[in-house]
Amino acid sequence: MPRAERGTPKDLANRMKSKGLQKLRWYCQMCQKQCRDENGFKCHCTSEGHIRQMQLFAQNPHKFVDQYSIQFERAFMSMMRRRFFSKPVSANVAYNEYISDKQHLHMNSTQWESLNAFVQHLGRTGQCVVEKTDRGWNLTYVDRSPEALARQAKQDKKQKQDLDDEQRHAEMIKRQIQAAAEHAEALGLRTTDDDPETFEKFERQNEDEKIAFSLTPHVSESKLKPSIFEQVAPSSSSSSSSFSVSSQ
């Protein structure tokens, strides 16, 4: 049956049908051809071009499977780096994002039979941090680019340098304390039997005795200032006595 001419309603209908993703079981990876239905896939399998491709595949099947596996892994990791980077994401969401490209390489042509097997492979090789949750597998991309490795090495070197500085500082303080203790012992200010880190344990002799705390300072009576009444009283008595004398 001849193909419909370009621009005709039949051609437009065929183009609309070919948009988007089609069923995976009707896709031929060797020929890179997507069929729309089972009848079209059967016709493609009987074509001369498909038979020639399958003969090449039969000569060295491991070579083709390994090649497709490497291409699929690289394309998937490239998508993870661009789209999600170091953000945790569900494996199903990441795979749906990958297959949204119509020209992607299909998983059924690789060595992994399922998405779970591929996710576990990424975890074993250290390309992603894999975590099993109630909703499925989660992936976190691990950046292994030369820039990231150099940045991580620089950060580790800085942390090691800071740790060495802290250790040297602690050792210097320890030597200073030991030197001060030896100097005090030489002057007779302190004996070696004294233990500066011994503390006396607080024990109550009487369990019924109450412990009271006062936040106000204690002031002796001699330091208390006389009140205003005490200051006025003597002056009033003296004035009365003087008045009585003058009246006499």
Side-chain angles (χ1 to χ4, degrees), residues 3-241:
R3 290 188 177 182
E5 296 182 2
R6 188 175 183 85
T8 60
K10 183 66 174 177
D11 178 65
L12 294 177
N14 292 337
R15 289 178 179 273
M16 292 179 63
K17 291 179 181 179
S18 63
K19 286 184 178 180
L21 298 176
Q22 304 294 325
K23 289 188 177 182
L24 185 59
R25 61 179 179 176
W26 296 334
Y27 181 81
C28 178
Q29 184 63 53
M30 289 295 298
C31 302
Q32 298 183 1
K33 180 176 179 58
Q34 176 69 58
C35 300
R36 288 198 297 267
D37 52 15
E38 186 177 2
N39 186 27
F41 186 71
K42 288 182 178 179
C43 293
H44 169 72
C45 292
T46 58
S47 63
E48 295 181 1
H50 177 77
I51 294 175
R52 287 195 299 269
Q53 292 293 333
M54 295 307 297
Q55 289 176 352
L56 293 175
F57 179 81
Q59 294 176 3
N60 193 352
H62 297 288
K63 175 183 176 181
F64 288 95
V65 172
D66 294 341
Q67 181 180 358
Y68 289 147
S69 301
I70 294 174
Q71 293 178 3
F72 178 82
E73 184 177 355
R74 289 179 178 175
F76 187 87
M77 295 306 298
S78 177
M79 182 276 305
M80 287 287 295
R81 183 177 64 255
R82 295 193 315 268
R83 181 66 177 83
F84 303 105
F85 199 62
S86 59
K87 182 176 67 175
V89 63
S90 174
N92 292 326
V93 174
Y95 183 73
N96 290 333
E97 182 70 21
Y98 170 74
I99 65 176
S100 60
D101 183 11
K102 190 176 181 180
Q103 303 299 328
H104 72 278
L105 194 145
H106 295 73
M107 185 182 291
N108 62 349
S109 60
T110 64
Q111 61 182 350
W112 302 289
E113 298 180 356
S114 63
L115 181 60
N116 292 339
F118 177 65
V119 168
Q120 294 176 9
H121 165 75
L122 295 179
R124 287 192 302 268
T125 55
Q127 301 183 66
C128 290
V129 177
V130 179
E131 182 182 2
K132 179 67 174 179
T133 61
D134 297 338
R135 297 185 177 182
W137 295 94
N138 282 350
L139 297 176
T140 304
Y141 177 76
V142 177
D143 190 7
R144 296 189 178 276
S145 60
E147 296 81 5
L149 295 177
R151 185 168 57 253
Q152 183 65 28
K154 184 178 180 180
Q155 184 177 1
D156 295 341
K157 182 178 179 181
K158 185 177 182 302
Q159 292 179 355
K160 183 179 180 181
Q161 184 178 1
D162 295 341
L163 182 60
D164 294 341
D165 293 341
E166 292 179 0
Q167 291 179 354
R168 286 195 297 268
H169 186 66
E171 291 178 357
M172 182 182 66
I173 294 177
K174 185 177 180 180
R175 288 195 300 268
Q176 290 178 355
I177 293 175
Q178 185 177 1
E182 293 177 355
H183 181 67
E185 183 180 355
L187 296 177
L189 301 177
R190 176 177 174 271
T191 59
T192 56
D193 297 336
D194 297 336
D195 189 0
E197 297 184 358
T198 56
F199 302 94
E200 295 183 0
K201 185 178 179 181
F202 176 75
E203 296 182 358
R204 297 178 60 181
Q205 302 296 335
N206 187 4
E207 297 293 338
D208 298 333
E209 182 180 0
K210 295 183 179 180
I211 300 176
F213 297 93
S214 178
L215 300 179
T216 58
H218 178 71
V219 182
S220 60
E221 296 180 358
S222 60
K223 294 183 179 181
L224 291 175
K225 296 181 179 181
S227 62
I228 187 172
F229 300 103
E230 294 177 354
Q231 294 177 0
V232 174
S235 60
S236 60
S237 59
S238 60
S239 61
S240 61
S241 59

